[in-house]
Amino acid sequence: MSPALARVQKSQKRSYFGPKKSLSLSFWNAYWNLISNAIHSRVHMKNIGPLKRSDGSLVVADDEKARLMNSHFALVGEKLGKEKCQNAMDIFDEPPPLVEITISSQSLGEKVNSLGTNKSLGPDSISRKLIKLAGNAIVPSLVSLYHESIKCRAVYSDWKIARLTPIYKKDDETDCGNYRPVSLLSVPSKIMESEVNDTLVRHVLKDNNLVSNKQWAYRTDYSTELLLTHLTETWRTAIDSGKAVAVAFIDFKKAFDGVSHDILEMKLNRDFGITVLNGVKSERSRVSFGIPQGSVLGPTLFTLFTNDLPASVSSGYLYMYADDTTAYCIGETIHPFHKWRCTRKTWAE
């Protein structure tokens, strides 16, 4: 599907759903909550039951369960890093440097006024509702705070603290590894993250086109639907021509948790011209691996971290939408795909 056709599709969707906006917001919220609860009835667990220690014994006291979860989430990325060697692909063209982070009063005002007020508080207990009620009056203070942080090349220590909420995923509920850590962060910090994220996306995608054309996330006129259409049409054409198509849908194990800060910093500087400072702390433990799930910058940083993955595939094709990854090869037989499976270790293992 061409970008022009995609714009027509979006226009038709707006025309169809536009009249339905007359229904109250509470109606739509209730409707989607009903659907979500029916599909994910076990995701929103309020209480976590007993958890297993490394020796197999059970922890039942809430304070000890909290310490066990915190220790697991702080160390899981480091353990994953010891299990695999992450190699970075060579990039020969030196990228243009990111000169400055832009903090716009107008953009900040829009973000403050559009804050959702139904989300949980961060570790500093600063209310979204309070910031939104302050509106444009608080923008100059935020601009001053953010400029000082950028000038000093440091993040305020309280903004490095996250309140982790373990979300159960599947399988054994006593295993800490079956929970996904969602970070509740300071609201002023997330607003600044959003401004930094806008600058990064503009630098790597809009101004300099530094991201692989096999990565379809964060691009104007690109979508998951377009990628799905592109892939299925490619495969259908190959099959109609009598060729064999082999496809692998890749699910990264603890994708965000396994990101090495050292490798991420190296890739940002080498591949994208971005200089960063390392060091992220949880409330009790130092974290040297992983990107907080729940942060604004997380998906963008993961996309940049994996940007060289498509180039590591020499005997097939690999497309990504953020961390959703599809690898395939086309040939007279599926032998080329077997070769790709044998050589994929250059990046991931």
Side-chain angles (χ1 to χ4, degrees):
M1 187 183 296
S2 67
L5 187 57
R7 286 192 289 269
V8 172
Q9 184 186 60
K10 290 181 180 179
S11 175
Q12 292 300 314
K13 286 182 178 179
R14 284 194 295 268
S15 299
Y16 176 78
F17 289 107
K20 295 176 176 54
K21 290 182 179 179
S22 58
L23 294 172
S24 66
L25 181 61
S26 59
F27 170 83
W28 290 112
N29 286 339
Y31 174 78
W32 287 113
N33 284 336
L34 178 64
I35 297 297
S36 178
N37 290 333
I39 297 176
H40 308 291
S41 58
R42 302 188 67 189
V43 170
H44 305 288
M45 290 179 57
K46 293 185 179 180
N47 297 313
I48 294 176
L51 298 173
K52 286 182 181 177
R53 298 187 182 92
S54 58
D55 60 4
S57 60
L58 292 179
V59 174
V60 294
D62 287 340
D63 58 343
E64 192 173 353
K65 285 190 288 185
R67 288 193 295 270
L68 186 63
M69 279 285 192
N70 187 59
S71 175
H72 170 77
F73 292 141
L75 298 176
V76 63
E78 186 175 347
K79 292 178 181 177
L80 288 172
K82 291 179 180 178
E83 294 174 1
K84 60 188 178 182
C85 175
Q86 304 180 66
N87 299 309
M89 301 297 292
D90 291 329
I91 305 295
F92 297 101
D93 296 330
E94 183 175 349
L98 176 61
V99 179
E100 63 178 349
I101 301 294
T102 303
I103 302 295
S104 165
S105 296
Q106 180 181 352
S107 177
L108 275 182
E110 293 172 355
K111 287 179 171 63
V112 167
N113 291 314
S114 62
L115 278 175
T117 57
N118 60 342
K119 296 185 178 180
S120 301
L121 299 178
D124 55 9
S125 298
I126 296 178
S127 166
R128 288 170 168 265
K129 186 175 183 179
L130 182 63
I131 294 178
K132 187 171 183 177
L133 285 174
N136 292 331
I138 202 174
V139 170
S141 298
L142 291 177
V143 171
S144 178
L145 274 175
Y146 300 160
H147 279 158
E148 186 64 23
S149 176
I150 294 170
K151 178 183 176 181
C152 296
R153 299 170 61 85
V155 176
Y156 301 111
S157 57
D158 284 352
W159 289 3
K160 298 179 183 180
I161 299 174
R163 178 184 295 164
L164 290 182
T165 300
I167 304 297
Y168 171 72
K169 296 185 294 183
K170 60 180 181 179
D171 298 332
D172 185 1
E173 295 181 21
T174 65
D175 186 348
C176 294
N178 292 329
Y179 290 81
R180 176 168 58 92
V182 174
S183 302
L184 300 177
L185 304 170
S186 166
V187 178
S189 169
K190 294 192 72 171
I191 296 174
M192 181 176 177
E193 272 193 81
S194 183
E195 285 291 294
V196 174
N197 187 67
D198 290 346
T199 301
L200 293 187
V201 170
R202 185 167 54 248
H203 172 71
V204 301
L205 280 173
K206 298 179 180 179
D207 294 345
N208 300 296
N209 196 28
L210 300 174
V211 174
S212 168
N213 59 8
K214 300 296 192 301
Q215 172 61 262
W216 283 43
Y218 311 112
R219 293 179 179 274
T220 304
D221 295 328
Y222 284 70
S223 66
T224 52
E225 293 91 343
L226 285 178
L227 180 55
L228 181 61
T229 301
H230 170 74
L231 292 175
T232 53
E233 282 299 299
T234 301
W235 301 336
R236 182 191 61 79
T237 301
I239 293 173
D240 288 347
S241 301
K243 296 182 179 180
V245 178
V247 182
F249 300 99
I250 301 172
D251 182 17
F252 289 106
K253 177 184 177 182
K254 298 189 178 297
F256 279 35
D257 296 333
V259 174
S260 163
H261 292 179
D262 292 336
I263 295 177
L264 174 61
E265 182 175 353
M266 179 271 292
K267 287 187 176 184
L268 289 175
N269 186 29
R270 184 201 63 185
D271 300 348
F272 305 102
I274 300 169
T275 302
V276 298
L277 293 179
N278 198 9
V280 178
K281 294 183 179 179
S282 69
E283 185 174 358
R284 298 172 183 264
S285 305
R286 181 178 178 84
V287 179
S288 59
F289 275 76
I291 298 173
Q293 298 186 51
S295 66
V296 178
L297 273 169
T300 301
L301 291 178
F302 182 81
T303 296
L304 301 184
F305 182 78
T306 58
N307 182 63
D308 54 357
L309 177 56
S312 70
V313 178
S314 59
S315 58
Y317 304 90
L318 188 143
Y319 282 83
M320 305 180 70
Y321 195 95
D323 63 332
D324 294 327
T325 305
T326 301
Y328 72 92
C329 71
I330 298 173
E332 301 302 326
T333 67
I334 63 172
H335 176 71
F337 188 72
H338 174 71
K339 179 182 177 183
W340 176 81
R341 288 180 60 200
C342 294
T343 59
R344 65 187 174 88
K345 295 181 180 180
T346 57
W347 189 91
E349 296 183 354

